[in-house]
Every structure is written in C-alpha cells, then in structure tokens.
Amino acid sequence: MDLAKVRNIGISAHIDSGKTTLTERILFYTGRIHKIEEVRGKSGVGAKMDSMELERERGITIQSAATYVTWGEYHINIIDTPGHVDFTVEVERALSVLDGAILVLCSVSGVQSQSITVDRQMRRYNVPRIAFINKMDRSGANPFNVTKQLREKLRHNAVMVTYPIGAEDAFEGVVDLLTREALYFDGDNGEHIRREKCPEHLVDEVEEYRTLLVEKLGDFDDEIAEMYLEGEPEKVTAEQMIPVIRKATLSLELTPVFCGTAFKNKGVQNMIDAVGLYLPSPPEITNEAFDLGNNEEKVVLESDDNKPLCSLAFKLEDGKYGQLTYIRVYQGSIKKGMFIYNSRTKKKVKVGRLVRMHSDEMQDIEEAGAGDIVALFGIDCASGDTFHDGSVEFSMRSMFVPNPVISYAVEPKNKSTLNNFSKALNRFAKEDPTFRVKRDEESGETIISGMGELHLDVYIERMKREYKVDVVVGEPQVAYRETITRETPFMYTHKKQTGGAGQYAKLGGFMRPLPEELREESKTYNFVDNIVGGKIPREYISSCDNGFKTGMDKGCLIGFPVVDVEMEINDGGAHAVDSSDMAFQIAARAAFRETMTKAKPVILEPIMKVVVETPEEFQGTVQGGLIRRRGNIVGSETTMGTTVVECHVPLSEMFGYSTELRSGSQGKAEYSMEFEKYGPVPRNIQEELIKKYADRK
C-alpha cells in the first residue's frame, strides 16, 4: 500500500451536527454500504456506525467507531467520534491517533459549545482539519456566518473553497471555487455528480469569493501573491491552488471550508475529494515516542514498515470473541503469529488474530504496516499501552485524561448477580479511563465516578443490558476538593520510643496557596526544598515530599482530596539512629494535616460551563432557572429566533436540570455541560457540608 495515499481521519463536532449521518454517506459513496440508514430511521436498523443498541435508541454516538474506505486511489481510515461532552475521552482517544480531521458544523447553529471543546482537543494534538458546514437544507442556513464564526470564535484562518447554490429548501448544490464549476448531485441518493457552468446569477459572488481565496493563498505562495497584486487573481488556476491549500492546511495555518447537506445527499463527494487533496498522509505527520532504554529520550518515529515496530493501543472493546484492542501502527509492521511486547507491563504476547474493523464487522488480515489502524484479539492490555517488537523499548505519550466530576454509590439489586456486577465494572474501567471504580473503606460501598450524569447512566444501562444486572443507585456525589487560603508556618516533631530503635523526625517551613503561574501549568502541588546546612539529611528530603503528598489525599474539612498547595521546608532535625524514611514521612503527613486546619481551609466545588440553546420566547425562563441554581450568566446571543445562553453553574445544582428545562420550554430547549474550573463554595453551604460529614463519621 502506498503510504502517501493513506489518510487517518476523524469526524468531530458538537452533538447533533450530523457527524454520523455524514459518515453514513461517505460509506455509501465509497461503496462500503449499499443502502443508507438514518440515525433515527424508520427501519429501526440505525446508522451503520452506531452499532450499540443504546446509540440507536438515543440517536447519539457513545463509542467512537472505526471503519475504512477506498476513494479513488486513497485508502481512508475513519473514526466517527461522539459529540457529547460526557464521552470526551472517546474524542481524545481518536484525536491522539489521527493525522487529520473533518470538523462538522451546523449551518444554522454554527460554532457551538462542543465545537469549541473539540477544536481545543484538536489543537492539543496538532491535528490539521477541513471544515464541513452541514444541514444547508435547514431553515436559517447561513454558511457565510458560520465561516465568520470559525474565524472569530475559533481563531481559524477559515476560507470557503465551495460556494452554495441557494440555501434552505432552495439548496441545489455547490460551486467549486477552484474550477468555477457548479456541482449538482442527481439520483435517489445524490450519487451522480453533474458538472455544469456556474449559474449566471452567481457569477459575481463566485468571483468575489474566489478572489478572497486567492488573496488568502497569496500569504503562502509568492507566485499567487504576485498575480493577486498585479490585479490578475482570475488567472490563478486550480492546479496552482491545490498544493498551496494543502501546504497551509498541514501547517495548521488554513482551514478550507466546504458546505452541503449529508441528509439530502449534496456536497459530500467533493468533501471526500478534499480529504485526499488537503489532509496529511502518515509520513507527513511527526510522531514521537520515548525511548525507555535511553532515559526516556524523545525519538521521532518513521512511517517505515522495515523499522522496529511501535504501535499504540488507543481503544478497548469487549466483543463476543474476547477483548478487541484497536491499535495504530506508527512504525514497523505487525504480522499474525509474531510476538509483541507491552512496554508498560514488559509482557510478551503473541498476535493471534489481526482484523480490519468496519464498525462492528471485521475482516481478517495477515499483516498491517506503518500508518495503519487495525484491531487485535485476545490481548490483555489497557487503553494507552504501547507495543513494540522487543528490538527497541519505545513508549508513546499517554493521552490526556480529565478527572471525573461526579460519583454514584452502586450495588446490585440481587446478590446473585454480584459476580456479573464485578465483571462489568472491571471491563468498563479498563475500556474507559474516565470511568473510575473504588470501594469506600468507611461505608463499604462501591463508588463509580465519571464525567457527568449521562456518562454514568449509560454504564448503568449497559450493565442491565449486557450483564443482566439491575443496579441500585445512591444519591449523586459531587467531586469536591479542599484547599487553603493563607500562608501558615509550621514546625513539627515526631518522636516515638518503643523498646529498641525509636522514631525521630523534625521539620519546619511554610504551607501556602500554590502560586498562580504553577496553576496555569495544571499543577495542584509543589514542593520547595530550602534546607541548608544539612539540618535534614539529603536522603530524607524526598520522604518529606512523599509525606506531604499522602497528606493531600484527605482534607481536614470533609475528607476530600486537597489541591493547590505549596509546601516549603527550611528547618528541621534528625537523629543518627532513630531517624528513617518512615519517620520523616509520618512527620510530614502529620505536619500537613495539623497546619491545614490553621491555614483557613475552604471547600472547592466543580463549576460547569452550561450552554443552553432555546427558542427566544423561553429565554427569561431559562435564565431565571439558571440563576436560581446559583448560576453566573457569562453571555447570551440571539440569532434567527434561537437564544444561546452560556452560564457557569455549580455541578451540585445541576441534578434534575434536564427535566426542568424540558418542561419549561415545551421540550424545545437543549443544553450541554462540561467542566470549567473549581471554585469556593459559599460559607453557608460549606458549613452544611462539614456538618453532614461530621454526622456521617
């Protein structure tokens, strides 16, 4: 397979922008499926990429699904990712292994809250993208406004590459601005492309937008710039523009914008052409690994089948034949029957079965080379593990995994299903790094934590369907944190004398709130060693650090983890016989707990960014409801009779909100919610939480 013709792409967007519908059309036009099914189709079959029963029922994508297609000379691996923020790790997983992406936007709603989140994730992994403005057939469609939002809200250098012929019910097709050809999509499913001259009434607008495109491309190419400045933009040919658009897209300096309607089968094929023309092949992307055999030195991986193997397991699924592990091969090749090594566990495993995935169907293959995305069977590993062939010891970067913000206490209704209950929890925790399971030692309860109510509800529903376990769910518990608000000095001595050697450790210094610049680096703790003159022997300095870290596990107010603290040691003492690593760890832990009570501790709560889209007439009701829930409205804008309200609301106040919103807007409003930051709780609520904690103890 020619690597230059391989594309690994993802399709990402705000929930309900039509990603899955778009993928369905791509599969149809490339011949992978022979009948189009809709996400909420009458047939009850559901879209090909929504293979989970729950996905078909709810009409949303929960797990990212993988497939591959052939379009002309291009081999394209596609991952359809969820748009709902509760399944954000699925998007992270996909983006961490993809080379390029299609950012889908709704022609009416434009850049929505989740589009901003997805864009931030793409930036984190430096993923080049093209934009597709979907739903051009909807009332209020305005691709020019959406392109403007791409520039203003997402800071993209966005430029239209196709121009719409009409809009709403009059949307007929698109004009390719490079060739000035009008493209019409005939046939039952828009499979026949008719190319004609640009309609007379659009000639002036098309020339205006083509000149804008040429002007933008002049920033990346001297020859085009010269023709533009000499007043001859119309002489720039499509052949001159394509390589320049490609170069600027790959360097993330340009976002080509296409428009169409996947549902009405218009404008999809020329967008697939763009995937081959403008998105990168594996060798054009720089991927790095850490060499564990050489002090984690960074190594640039080469998309070469003959180099030592390096591949990343980015997603796990429990299929009917055992664990299915999706892997991206970055370097080298993987063959059926070969032995591979897990760089985290150091275990050697044999590749028994190698498959290419098409949603929930699979095709057996003998080998896969660099740049490929395939799946392995029966290999025990965790999400994010790196596999190599033993000749090198490489490890890929670990994915960014956000911390959970909500917990439920769960137990099976029938004790007889306890075994299946444990199996389900183990499998889900292994599949999804944002789903955590722990046992509360004090109450003996099983606690599950995740990214939001929908996230945990889906897993509880899956337990019922896939494992036949009915679950009793306790009150939702918010993931509070504790911190301090003022600098406090400490001096602590730990002394213990029991027959034989005793324990002795003395340390002094300051506990203070973490400096702002370290918080910006996403740190929650910092240790400062200012010991001079050997007051504490060097070998015990790290013991003090470890003791402080242990102290942060449980705060002094309501027993939640402590964040945003800097600990400085500048004084202390040791005993030649009685001092030890353990003595200093105990002293540091005790000093931390004792000092925290004096450092004006406060409770922090997760504050969520809530974005509500509602018909204009319900704006007052929606805003009133959010303010009642201690919400702080940060902005609202109205376009085409729809108001978008953005608000910061404490998570503890958001339970039951979806029911209230539905009844207050006749079911017409919808909202999305994602974690924004931690903020201090009001004094009266802090006292209430402390009292509850004391009663529980």
Side-chain angles (χ1 to χ4, degrees):
M1 186 163 48
D2 179 4
L3 267 185
K5 301 295 181 196
V6 173
R7 300 288 179 268
N8 291 319
I9 64 158
I11 299 181
S12 303
H14 182 88
I15 188 165
D16 227 9
S17 298
K19 298 182 307 301
T20 303
T21 308
L22 178 64
T23 311
E24 197 75 1
R25 298 309 184 269
I26 293 173
L27 295 178
F28 178 76
Y29 296 132
T30 53
R32 291 293 286 140
I33 57 173
H34 303 293
K35 182 172 185 290
I36 291 172
E37 294 289 354
E38 300 309 335
V39 174
R40 294 186 179 90
K42 290 189 179 71
S43 68
V45 175
K48 177 71 198 170
M49 298 301 274
D50 283 348
S51 57
M52 241 164 99
E53 198 181 315
L54 256 174
E55 296 181 304
R56 291 176 177 174
E57 268 175 39
R58 294 185 183 224
I60 59 169
T61 301
I62 291 170
Q63 292 185 323
S64 48
T67 186
Y68 68 97
V69 297
T70 306
W71 182 250
E73 54 190 355
Y74 294 103
H75 178 95
I76 306 170
N77 289 311
I78 302 173
I79 293 197
D80 172 35
T81 60
H84 201 288
V85 70
D86 283 14
F87 307 105
T88 187
V89 74
E90 289 287 342
V91 186
E92 291 279 347
R93 279 178 177 157
L95 291 177
S96 71
V97 296
L98 294 172
D99 302 329
I102 301 169
L103 177 62
V104 184
L105 300 156
C106 169
S107 65
V108 182
S109 311
V111 173
Q112 295 164 278
S113 59
Q114 215 27 49
S115 325
I116 296 169
T117 305
V118 166
D119 185 65
R120 193 169 60 235
Q121 290 170 321
M122 287 187 194
R123 283 179 201 274
R124 187 182 296 134
Y125 295 108
N126 293 323
V127 178
R129 63 279 219 193
I130 59 176
F132 181 68
I133 299 172
N134 195 17
K135 303 195 176 185
M136 279 298 302
D137 56 313
R138 267 186 65 184
S139 169
N142 187 340
F144 310 108
N145 188 37
V146 180
T147 307
K148 189 173 161 215
Q149 288 182 6
L150 267 172
R151 289 194 206 106
E152 291 171 1
K153 289 190 178 177
L154 297 183
R155 301 270 179 272
H156 279 228
N157 185 11
V159 59
M160 292 181 82
V161 180
T162 60
Y163 187 90
I165 303 172
E168 304 179 351
D169 357 0
F171 179 67
E172 293 177 47
V174 295
V175 177
D176 182 340
L177 291 179
L178 276 69
T179 61
R180 300 183 180 85
E181 274 184 318
L183 308 179
Y184 297 97
F185 303 87
D186 300 336
D188 293 344
N189 298 306
E191 60 270 49
H192 305 302
I193 301 174
R194 177 162 48 94
R195 295 173 186 273
E196 294 196 359
K197 273 174 65 180
C198 174
E200 283 298 317
H201 67 284
L202 289 181
V203 169
D204 292 347
E205 283 102 320
V206 165
E207 277 310 317
E208 183 192 330
Y209 275 84
R210 192 177 193 274
T211 304
L212 268 176
L213 172 61
V214 170
E215 183 189 352
K216 283 261 198 275
L217 297 182
D219 296 342
F220 307 101
D221 183 89
D222 293 344
E223 195 182 332
I224 291 179
E226 208 172 295
M227 291 170 82
Y228 176 77
L229 292 169
E230 284 171 5
E232 298 179 330
E234 69 284 350
K235 289 189 177 170
V236 179
T237 64
E239 288 68 33
Q240 280 172 288
M241 290 196 234
I242 290 169
V244 180
I245 296 175
R246 178 177 181 78
K247 185 179 92 179
T249 305
L250 296 197
S251 63
L252 306 182
E253 291 172 285
L254 188 78
T255 304
V257 179
F258 296 81
C259 58
T261 161
F263 185 57
K264 292 284 172 70
N265 312 312
K266 292 182 173 79
V268 176
Q269 294 97 315
N270 56 310
M271 193 263 318
I272 313 175
D273 289 338
V275 167
L277 290 173
Y278 307 132
L279 289 180
S281 64
E284 288 172 303
I285 292 288
T286 304
N287 290 301
E288 291 178 330
F290 301 99
D291 189 347
L292 301 181
N294 187 17
N295 295 325
E296 298 204 0
E297 193 73 33
K298 276 191 178 176
V299 185
V300 174
L301 300 173
E302 293 175 48
S303 300
D304 182 343
D305 290 1
N306 301 315
K307 295 269 178 187
L309 171 72
C310 182
S311 62
L312 179 76
F314 66 96
K315 177 177 162 55
L316 313 179
E317 256 177 43
D318 202 22
K320 49 187 173 208
Y321 306 112
Q323 181 173 299
L324 184 65
T325 306
Y326 286 82
I327 65 162
R328 156 85 199 250
V329 184
Y330 285 94
Q331 179 178 286
S333 62
I334 188 164
K335 295 183 178 69
K336 202 170 151 181
M338 79 183 273
F339 285 98
I340 54 176
Y341 296 79
N342 184 328
S343 61
R344 180 180 60 87
T345 61
K346 307 283 186 276
K347 284 185 180 165
K348 178 168 92 166
V349 285
K350 187 177 183 181
V351 178
R353 191 176 170 201
L354 195 60
V355 295
R356 242 185 240 301
M357 294 305 296
H358 174 39
S359 186
D360 54 348
E361 294 169 15
M362 53 199 74
Q363 174 196 343
D364 281 280
I365 53 173
E366 290 300 311
E367 71 173 295
D372 240 339
I373 291 178
V374 290
L376 307 173
F377 262 115
I379 284 183
D380 186 37
C381 68
S383 187
D385 282 356
T386 304
F387 287 102
H388 53 81
D389 59 9
S391 63
V392 290
E393 211 179 326
F394 290 166
S395 174
M396 298 294 292
R397 58 166 190 263
S398 61
M399 277 179 316
F400 169 78
V401 179
N403 286 319
V405 291
I406 179 175
S407 306
Y408 289 163
V410 290
E411 60 174 345
K413 226 176 221 172
N414 297 327
K415 292 284 175 272
S416 58
T417 58
L418 198 60
N419 194 17
N420 274 5
F421 176 71
S422 303
K423 263 190 201 161
L425 291 181
N426 285 340
R427 174 191 154 192
F428 297 152
K430 203 171 177 188
E431 267 183 26
D432 180 353
T434 57
F435 178 79
R436 316 269 170 94
V437 183
K438 69 169 185 185
R439 190 168 173 76
D440 186 325
E441 294 308 326
E442 289 170 20
S443 63
E445 292 175 319
T446 301
I447 309 288
I448 59 172
S449 309
M451 301 311 296
E453 279 181 284
L454 177 67
H455 189 211
L456 296 183
D457 289 348
V458 161
Y459 280 118
I460 288 162
E461 187 63 31
R462 283 182 66 188
M463 262 189 252
K464 197 172 165 181
R465 292 180 186 211
E466 295 170 33
Y467 288 88
K468 308 288 181 275
V469 177
D470 274 325
V471 177
V472 180
V473 182
E475 279 289 293
Q477 172 68 68
V478 173
Y480 291 105
R481 293 287 179 265
E482 297 182 31
T483 191
I484 54 162
T485 56
R486 73 167 176 210
E487 180 170 286
T488 308
F490 65 87
M491 177 59 76
Y492 189 87
T493 307
H494 170 65
K495 230 189 220 166
K496 200 174 181 192
Q497 205 61 49
T498 47
Q503 287 185 358
Y504 180 85
K506 181 181 176 185
L507 65 156
F510 289 95
M511 171 188 264
R512 63 174 73 93
L514 190 70
E516 203 53 52
E517 62 273 15
L518 294 178
R519 293 183 199 202
E520 282 167 13
E521 292 171 23
S522 299
K523 280 191 174 180
T524 56
Y525 163 75
N526 189 41
F527 176 66
V528 179
D529 167 19
N530 276 336
I531 293 289
V532 286
K535 287 183 176 175
I536 297 178
R538 296 308 315 157
E539 66 265 30
Y540 299 136
I541 299 291
S542 63
S543 314
C544 298
D545 186 15
N546 290 334
F548 292 143
K549 281 180 188 160
T550 318
M552 290 183 73
D553 291 345
K554 205 170 184 183
C556 64
L557 297 175
I558 55 170
F560 273 87
V562 182
V563 293
D564 298 340
V565 174
E566 181 167 87
M567 298 300 293
E568 178 189 328
I569 52 170
N570 54 22
D571 199 357
H575 186 277
V577 177
D578 293 349
S579 286
S580 64
D581 165 56
M582 185 50 72
F584 272 97
Q585 281 206 43
I586 293 168
R589 191 161 62 234
F592 186 94
R593 287 184 180 154
E594 185 183 272
T595 315
M596 186 178 173
T597 56
K598 302 171 191 168
K600 279 215 168 161
V602 292
I603 299 170
L604 301 174
E605 62 184 344
I607 307 287
M608 310 303 280
K609 180 171 109 181
V610 177
V611 179
V612 185
E613 286 187 35
T614 173
E616 204 173 341
E617 71 257 35
F618 303 117
Q619 182 180 352
T621 316
V622 165
Q623 290 187 338
L626 290 168
I627 290 164
R628 224 178 21 256
R629 290 171 180 266
R630 294 200 281 126
N632 172 26
I633 291 173
V634 290
S636 72
E637 59 179 61
T638 304
T639 43
M640 311 287 299
T642 299
T643 299
V644 177
V645 180
E646 192 178 315
C647 185
H648 291 166
V649 193
L651 175 64
S652 58
E653 302 288 340
M654 285 301 293
F655 299 123
Y657 181 63
S658 51
T659 314
E660 181 195 304
L661 184 66
R662 267 201 304 272
S663 58
S665 67
Q666 298 166 12
K668 293 175 184 169
E670 55 178 49
Y671 81 101
S672 70
M673 175 171 88
E674 65 178 303
F675 175 72
E676 177 69 19
K677 61 182 178 187
Y678 270 97
V681 302
R683 179 154 294 283
N684 61 325
I685 292 174
Q686 175 156 322
E687 284 163 7
E688 225 174 88
L689 289 168
I690 292 170
K691 186 175 177 301
K692 258 192 206 164
Y693 179 64
D695 292 347
R696 243 194 7 251
K697 284 174 86 179

Short mmCIF file of all heavy atoms in Angstrom, two decimals, residues 109-143:
data_model
loop_
_atom_site.label_atom_id
_atom_site.label_comp_id
_atom_site.label_asym_id
_atom_site.label_seq_id
_atom_site.Cartn_x
_atom_site.Cartn_y
_atom_site.Cartn_z
N SER A 109 -26.78 26.62 13.54
CA SER A 109 -26.25 26.88 14.90
C SER A 109 -24.79 27.36 14.87
O SER A 109 -24.33 28.00 15.81
CB SER A 109 -26.34 25.62 15.75
OG SER A 109 -27.63 25.08 15.66
N GLY A 110 -24.05 26.99 13.82
CA GLY A 110 -22.66 27.45 13.70
C GLY A 110 -21.73 26.86 14.74
O GLY A 110 -21.83 25.68 15.08
N VAL A 111 -20.82 27.68 15.25
CA VAL A 111 -19.84 27.21 16.24
C VAL A 111 -20.54 27.14 17.60
O VAL A 111 -20.90 28.15 18.16
CB VAL A 111 -18.62 28.15 16.29
CG1 VAL A 111 -17.69 27.78 17.44
CG2 VAL A 111 -17.86 28.10 14.97
N GLN A 112 -20.75 25.91 18.10
CA GLN A 112 -21.45 25.72 19.38
C GLN A 112 -20.43 25.35 20.46
O GLN A 112 -19.25 25.18 20.19
CB GLN A 112 -22.51 24.62 19.22
CG GLN A 112 -23.62 25.03 18.25
CD GLN A 112 -24.45 23.84 17.79
OE1 GLN A 112 -24.05 23.12 16.88
NE2 GLN A 112 -25.58 23.62 18.40
N SER A 113 -20.93 25.19 21.69
CA SER A 113 -20.01 24.97 22.82
C SER A 113 -19.10 23.77 22.60
O SER A 113 -17.89 23.82 22.82
CB SER A 113 -20.80 24.78 24.11
OG SER A 113 -21.67 23.67 23.96
N GLN A 114 -19.68 22.66 22.12
CA GLN A 114 -18.88 21.45 21.93
C GLN A 114 -17.91 21.59 20.77
O GLN A 114 -16.86 20.97 20.76
CB GLN A 114 -19.85 20.30 21.71
CG GLN A 114 -19.52 18.94 22.25
CD GLN A 114 -18.64 18.83 23.44
OE1 GLN A 114 -18.85 19.50 24.43
NE2 GLN A 114 -17.66 18.00 23.39
N SER A 115 -18.26 22.43 19.77
CA SER A 115 -17.32 22.67 18.65
C SER A 115 -16.05 23.29 19.22
O SER A 115 -14.94 23.00 18.77
CB SER A 115 -17.89 23.63 17.61
OG SER A 115 -19.26 23.50 17.44
N ILE A 116 -16.21 24.17 20.23
CA ILE A 116 -15.06 24.85 20.83
C ILE A 116 -14.20 23.83 21.58
O ILE A 116 -12.98 23.81 21.46
CB ILE A 116 -15.54 25.98 21.78
CG1 ILE A 116 -16.28 27.05 20.95
CG2 ILE A 116 -14.38 26.60 22.54
CD1 ILE A 116 -17.04 28.09 21.75
N THR A 117 -14.86 22.90 22.31
CA THR A 117 -14.13 21.86 23.05
C THR A 117 -13.36 20.96 22.09
O THR A 117 -12.18 20.67 22.29
CB THR A 117 -15.12 21.00 23.88
OG1 THR A 117 -15.88 21.88 24.70
CG2 THR A 117 -14.39 20.00 24.75
N VAL A 118 -14.03 20.52 21.03
CA VAL A 118 -13.41 19.62 20.06
C VAL A 118 -12.22 20.31 19.39
O VAL A 118 -11.16 19.73 19.19
CB VAL A 118 -14.45 19.18 19.00
CG1 VAL A 118 -13.79 18.55 17.82
CG2 VAL A 118 -15.45 18.22 19.60
N ASP A 119 -12.40 21.60 19.08
CA ASP A 119 -11.32 22.36 18.45
C ASP A 119 -10.12 22.45 19.38
O ASP A 119 -8.97 22.31 18.96
CB ASP A 119 -11.82 23.77 18.09
CG ASP A 119 -10.77 24.56 17.34
OD1 ASP A 119 -10.44 24.16 16.21
OD2 ASP A 119 -10.27 25.55 17.88
N ARG A 120 -10.39 22.64 20.69
CA ARG A 120 -9.30 22.72 21.67
C ARG A 120 -8.55 21.39 21.72
O ARG A 120 -7.33 21.34 21.80
CB ARG A 120 -9.90 23.06 23.05
CG ARG A 120 -8.87 23.48 24.07
CD ARG A 120 -9.51 24.07 25.31
NE ARG A 120 -10.39 23.14 25.98
CZ ARG A 120 -11.67 23.40 26.28
NH1 ARG A 120 -12.20 24.56 25.96
NH2 ARG A 120 -12.42 22.53 26.90
N GLN A 121 -9.32 20.28 21.65
CA GLN A 121 -8.68 18.96 21.65
C GLN A 121 -7.82 18.76 20.40
O GLN A 121 -6.72 18.22 20.47
CB GLN A 121 -9.76 17.87 21.75
CG GLN A 121 -10.44 17.85 23.11
CD GLN A 121 -11.67 16.95 23.12
OE1 GLN A 121 -12.41 16.90 22.15
NE2 GLN A 121 -11.88 16.24 24.19
N MET A 122 -8.33 19.22 19.25
CA MET A 122 -7.54 19.08 18.01
C MET A 122 -6.25 19.88 18.09
O MET A 122 -5.21 19.44 17.62
CB MET A 122 -8.36 19.60 16.82
CG MET A 122 -9.49 18.69 16.41
SD MET A 122 -10.22 19.32 14.89
CE MET A 122 -11.72 18.38 14.83
N ARG A 123 -6.34 21.07 18.70
CA ARG A 123 -5.13 21.88 18.84
C ARG A 123 -4.10 21.18 19.73
O ARG A 123 -2.90 21.27 19.52
CB ARG A 123 -5.46 23.25 19.44
CG ARG A 123 -6.08 24.20 18.46
CD ARG A 123 -6.42 25.53 19.11
NE ARG A 123 -7.43 26.24 18.36
CZ ARG A 123 -7.18 27.03 17.33
NH1 ARG A 123 -5.95 27.24 16.95
NH2 ARG A 123 -8.16 27.65 16.69
N ARG A 124 -4.61 20.49 20.79
CA ARG A 124 -3.70 19.82 21.72
C ARG A 124 -2.87 18.77 20.98
O ARG A 124 -1.72 18.53 21.31
CB ARG A 124 -4.51 19.16 22.85
CG ARG A 124 -3.63 18.57 23.94
CD ARG A 124 -4.42 17.89 25.03
NE ARG A 124 -5.27 18.82 25.74
CZ ARG A 124 -6.55 18.60 26.04
NH1 ARG A 124 -7.12 17.49 25.67
NH2 ARG A 124 -7.25 19.49 26.69
N TYR A 125 -3.45 18.12 19.97
CA TYR A 125 -2.74 17.08 19.23
C TYR A 125 -2.26 17.56 17.87
O TYR A 125 -1.84 16.75 17.04
CB TYR A 125 -3.64 15.84 19.08
CG TYR A 125 -3.96 15.19 20.41
CD1 TYR A 125 -5.23 15.29 20.96
CD2 TYR A 125 -2.99 14.50 21.12
CE1 TYR A 125 -5.52 14.71 22.18
CE2 TYR A 125 -3.26 13.92 22.35
CZ TYR A 125 -4.53 14.02 22.87
OH TYR A 125 -4.82 13.45 24.08
N ASN A 126 -2.34 18.89 17.61
CA ASN A 126 -1.90 19.47 16.33
C ASN A 126 -2.49 18.76 15.12
O ASN A 126 -1.77 18.32 14.21
CB ASN A 126 -0.35 19.44 16.23
CG ASN A 126 0.26 20.37 17.24
OD1 ASN A 126 -0.28 21.44 17.52
ND2 ASN A 126 1.37 19.97 17.82
N VAL A 127 -3.81 18.60 15.12
CA VAL A 127 -4.46 17.88 14.03
C VAL A 127 -4.93 18.87 12.96
O VAL A 127 -5.76 19.73 13.24
CB VAL A 127 -5.69 17.09 14.57
CG1 VAL A 127 -6.41 16.38 13.44
CG2 VAL A 127 -5.27 16.08 15.63
N PRO A 128 -4.42 18.76 11.71
CA PRO A 128 -4.91 19.63 10.63
C PRO A 128 -6.35 19.25 10.31
O PRO A 128 -6.72 18.08 10.41
CB PRO A 128 -4.01 19.27 9.44
CG PRO A 128 -2.88 18.48 10.00
CD PRO A 128 -3.37 17.85 11.25
N ARG A 129 -7.18 20.24 9.94
CA ARG A 129 -8.57 19.90 9.65
C ARG A 129 -9.16 20.70 8.52
O ARG A 129 -8.69 21.80 8.20
CB ARG A 129 -9.47 20.00 10.88
CG ARG A 129 -9.63 21.36 11.51
CD ARG A 129 -8.47 21.61 12.37
NE ARG A 129 -8.72 22.29 13.63
CZ ARG A 129 -7.73 22.78 14.33
NH1 ARG A 129 -6.50 22.68 13.90
NH2 ARG A 129 -7.97 23.38 15.47
N ILE A 130 -10.20 20.10 7.92
CA ILE A 130 -11.04 20.85 6.99
C ILE A 130 -12.39 20.98 7.68
O ILE A 130 -12.73 20.18 8.54
CB ILE A 130 -11.17 20.13 5.62
CG1 ILE A 130 -11.79 18.73 5.78
CG2 ILE A 130 -9.85 20.06 4.91
CD1 ILE A 130 -12.04 18.01 4.47
N ALA A 131 -13.16 22.02 7.33
CA ALA A 131 -14.47 22.21 7.96
C ALA A 131 -15.56 21.89 6.95
O ALA A 131 -15.44 22.21 5.75
CB ALA A 131 -14.61 23.65 8.44
N PHE A 132 -16.63 21.22 7.43
CA PHE A 132 -17.78 20.92 6.57
C PHE A 132 -19.02 21.53 7.22
O PHE A 132 -19.39 21.15 8.33
CB PHE A 132 -17.95 19.41 6.40
CG PHE A 132 -19.11 19.04 5.49
CD1 PHE A 132 -19.06 19.32 4.14
CD2 PHE A 132 -20.25 18.41 6.01
CE1 PHE A 132 -20.13 18.98 3.30
CE2 PHE A 132 -21.31 18.08 5.18
CZ PHE A 132 -21.25 18.36 3.81
N ILE A 133 -19.62 22.53 6.55
CA ILE A 133 -20.84 23.15 7.08
C ILE A 133 -22.02 22.34 6.57
O ILE A 133 -22.34 22.35 5.38
CB ILE A 133 -20.92 24.64 6.66
CG1 ILE A 133 -19.71 25.40 7.22
CG2 ILE A 133 -22.22 25.26 7.15
CD1 ILE A 133 -19.57 26.83 6.73
N ASN A 134 -22.63 21.60 7.49
CA ASN A 134 -23.68 20.64 7.16
C ASN A 134 -25.07 21.29 7.30
O ASN A 134 -25.19 22.41 7.77
CB ASN A 134 -23.53 19.45 8.12
CG ASN A 134 -24.30 18.24 7.68
OD1 ASN A 134 -24.71 18.14 6.53
ND2 ASN A 134 -24.54 17.33 8.59
N LYS A 135 -26.10 20.54 6.92
CA LYS A 135 -27.50 20.96 7.11
C LYS A 135 -27.84 22.25 6.34
O LYS A 135 -28.55 23.10 6.85
CB LYS A 135 -27.82 21.12 8.60
CG LYS A 135 -27.55 19.86 9.42
CD LYS A 135 -28.18 19.91 10.79
CE LYS A 135 -27.96 18.59 11.53
NZ LYS A 135 -28.64 18.52 12.80
N MET A 136 -27.29 22.35 5.11
CA MET A 136 -27.58 23.53 4.28
C MET A 136 -29.05 23.59 3.87
O MET A 136 -29.52 24.61 3.37
CB MET A 136 -26.70 23.51 3.02
CG MET A 136 -25.29 24.03 3.23
SD MET A 136 -25.22 25.74 3.73
CE MET A 136 -26.07 26.56 2.41
N ASP A 137 -29.78 22.48 4.04
CA ASP A 137 -31.20 22.45 3.65
C ASP A 137 -32.11 22.97 4.77
O ASP A 137 -33.30 23.11 4.59
CB ASP A 137 -31.61 21.01 3.32
CG ASP A 137 -31.31 20.06 4.49
OD1 ASP A 137 -30.19 20.13 5.03
OD2 ASP A 137 -32.20 19.27 4.87
N ARG A 138 -31.52 23.27 5.94
CA ARG A 138 -32.35 23.70 7.07
C ARG A 138 -32.74 25.17 6.98
O ARG A 138 -32.00 25.98 6.44
CB ARG A 138 -31.59 23.49 8.39
CG ARG A 138 -31.88 22.15 9.03
CD ARG A 138 -31.24 22.02 10.37
NE ARG A 138 -31.80 22.97 11.35
CZ ARG A 138 -31.33 23.10 12.58
NH1 ARG A 138 -30.33 22.36 12.99
NH2 ARG A 138 -31.87 23.96 13.40
N SER A 139 -33.88 25.49 7.55
CA SER A 139 -34.34 26.88 7.56
C SER A 139 -33.36 27.72 8.39
O SER A 139 -33.00 27.35 9.51
CB SER A 139 -35.73 26.90 8.19
OG SER A 139 -36.11 28.21 8.45
N GLY A 140 -32.89 28.83 7.81
CA GLY A 140 -31.94 29.69 8.53
C GLY A 140 -30.49 29.36 8.23
O GLY A 140 -29.58 29.90 8.87
N ALA A 141 -30.25 28.47 7.24
CA ALA A 141 -28.86 28.09 6.90
C ALA A 141 -28.07 29.30 6.41
O ALA A 141 -28.52 30.03 5.54
CB ALA A 141 -28.87 27.01 5.82
N ASN A 142 -26.89 29.51 6.99
CA ASN A 142 -26.05 30.64 6.58
C ASN A 142 -24.57 30.28 6.70
O ASN A 142 -23.94 30.50 7.74
CB ASN A 142 -26.37 31.86 7.45
CG ASN A 142 -25.65 33.11 6.95
OD1 ASN A 142 -24.66 33.03 6.24
ND2 ASN A 142 -26.14 34.27 7.34
N PRO A 143 -23.99 29.70 5.63
CA PRO A 143 -22.59 29.24 5.70
C PRO A 143 -21.60 30.40 5.86
O PRO A 143 -20.52 30.23 6.41
CB PRO A 143 -22.38 28.50 4.38
CG PRO A 143 -23.40 29.08 3.45
CD PRO A 143 -24.58 29.45 4.30
#
